[in-house]
Amino acid sequence: MTRPSWAPEGIDLDRPSASRVYDYFVGGMHNFEIDRQLARQIEAFTPNIAETMRANRDLLRRCVRFLVDAGVSQFLDIGSGIPTVGNVHEVAQGRDPSARVVYVDIDPVAVAHSRAILDDDPRTAVVQADISQPDVILADPQVAKLIDMDQPVAVLLLGVLHFVADTADPLGCVAALRDSVGRGSFLAITHATSDGQPSEVLEAQKLSGRTSTEIMLRSKDEIATYFDGWSLVEPGLVHLPLWRPDNPDDIGTAPEESGAYGGVARKI
């Protein structure tokens, strides 16, 4: 196989990468046949997994557009994976060319690919760090270089908190991030849920995680606590297709089948 420019040396192309599997599911081009084979195996267990991942990606785009229109020009995207099609910096800079984005992920494969893809963009940076160590993220020199914490910041936690076990104190992690940003900042979260999901989906969903870490399915009330002290913007914490759809037809007939909630809140 010829190694493309976005796949740096040291990345094993003969083993599937969970980040590249996600890229495939959302229509990206940064994946290989070995990744697509694994994706098809996952789909056999969870037929709606691709739809769920696309719903999450679609919400990301709508969310970023909303945030730029609200005056935000700097983004901290934690648990970003590979910045694939319709990524944060493309959407944000399409509306505001001065927008700055720091991508953060613990997966070394995602980080290596991201750095290769974004090497020539001075308004983006990639940091390898874990959501469970917010102090490490906030102290990183690249975060300090691109993100001015005295100005409104959008903290994006899209599809990552359900990989954080209760023993790692996800509430404390999110609280540290909330406390680090000033008034006028926003927090965006999407999170897989057990609400309304059949038992077979609950079992299969454990196999569809981006890493080998078990997905922690949480209820709407549990997810809502991540926004404590902030003001949820309309329409609140809702199933993914219900969050500010571009077109009413995009909601579909069963938005709860997305298997996840999404919401955005502002620090007043």
Side-chain angles (χ1 to χ4, degrees), residues 246-263:
D246 293 327
N247 187 305
D249 294 337
D250 296 339
I251 295 174
T253 58
E256 68 279 2
E257 290 183 358
S258 66
Y261 290 109

Side-chain angles (χ1 to χ4, degrees), residues 32-112:
F32 302 105
E33 180 56 30
I34 192 71
D35 306 304
R36 296 188 282 272
Q37 290 174 3
L38 178 56
R40 288 190 284 269
Q41 292 173 12
I42 293 173
E43 272 191 303
F45 286 100
T46 51
N48 68 332
I49 187 67
E51 182 179 344
T52 298
M53 292 187 177
R54 285 193 291 268
N56 189 74
R57 200 71 185 181
D58 290 344
L59 185 146
L60 178 149
R61 299 184 188 103
R62 300 195 304 273
C63 174
V64 172
R65 292 197 300 263
F66 164 79
L67 292 167
V68 173
D69 292 346
V72 177
S73 61
Q74 44 186 7
F75 296 79
L76 186 59
D77 184 5
I78 302 175
S80 55
I82 298 172
T84 185
V85 57
N87 55 59
V88 174
H89 74 277
E90 286 183 349
V91 176
Q93 291 171 3
R95 270 172 137 73
D96 176 3
S98 70
R100 304 180 304 282
V101 179
V102 176
Y103 292 105
V104 181
D105 204 285
I106 190 58
D107 180 0
V109 174
V111 169

Side-chain angles (χ1 to χ4, degrees), residues 154-182:
V155 179
L156 308 181
L157 302 175
L158 304 179
V160 64
L161 286 171
H162 47 237
F163 291 102
V164 183
D166 291 339
T167 54
D169 188 19
L171 285 173
C173 296
V174 176
L177 293 167
R178 291 199 313 259
D179 291 345
S180 70
V181 297

Side-chain angles (χ1 to χ4, degrees), residues 189-208:
I189 293 174
T190 60
H191 195 301
T193 184
S194 55
D195 293 354
Q197 300 301 304
S199 59
E200 61 269 22
V201 171
L202 300 182
E203 289 302 314
Q205 200 162 5
K206 297 176 183 178
L207 303 175
S208 62

Side-chain angles (χ1 to χ4, degrees), residues 96-224:
D96 176 3
S98 70
R100 304 180 304 282
V101 179
V102 176
Y103 292 105
V104 181
D105 204 285
I106 190 58
D107 180 0
V109 174
V111 169
H113 284 315
S114 299
R115 287 175 175 162
I117 294 168
L118 301 172
D119 186 54
D120 61 349
D121 189 337
R123 296 184 303 279
T124 66
V126 184
V127 172
Q128 184 172 355
D130 195 330
I131 176 61
S132 66
Q133 297 179 304
D135 292 345
V136 173
I137 296 173
L138 297 169
D140 190 277
Q142 295 193 82
V143 174
K145 178 181 177 182
L146 286 182
I147 305 294
D148 180 357
M149 293 296 181
D150 293 327
Q151 299 298 318
V153 180
V155 179
L156 308 181
L157 302 175
L158 304 179
V160 64
L161 286 171
H162 47 237
F163 291 102
V164 183
D166 291 339
T167 54
D169 188 19
L171 285 173
C173 296
V174 176
L177 293 167
R178 291 199 313 259
D179 291 345
S180 70
V181 297
R183 294 180 183 276
S185 293
F186 289 84
L187 173 65
I189 293 174
T190 60
H191 195 301
T193 184
S194 55
D195 293 354
Q197 300 301 304
S199 59
E200 61 269 22
V201 171
L202 300 182
E203 289 302 314
Q205 200 162 5
K206 297 176 183 178
L207 303 175
S208 62
R210 212 177 49 213
T211 71
S212 59
T213 305
E214 180 181 339
I215 295 177
M216 305 300 295
L217 298 173
R218 297 184 172 102
S219 69
K220 183 176 183 178
D221 287 345
E222 289 174 310
I223 299 167

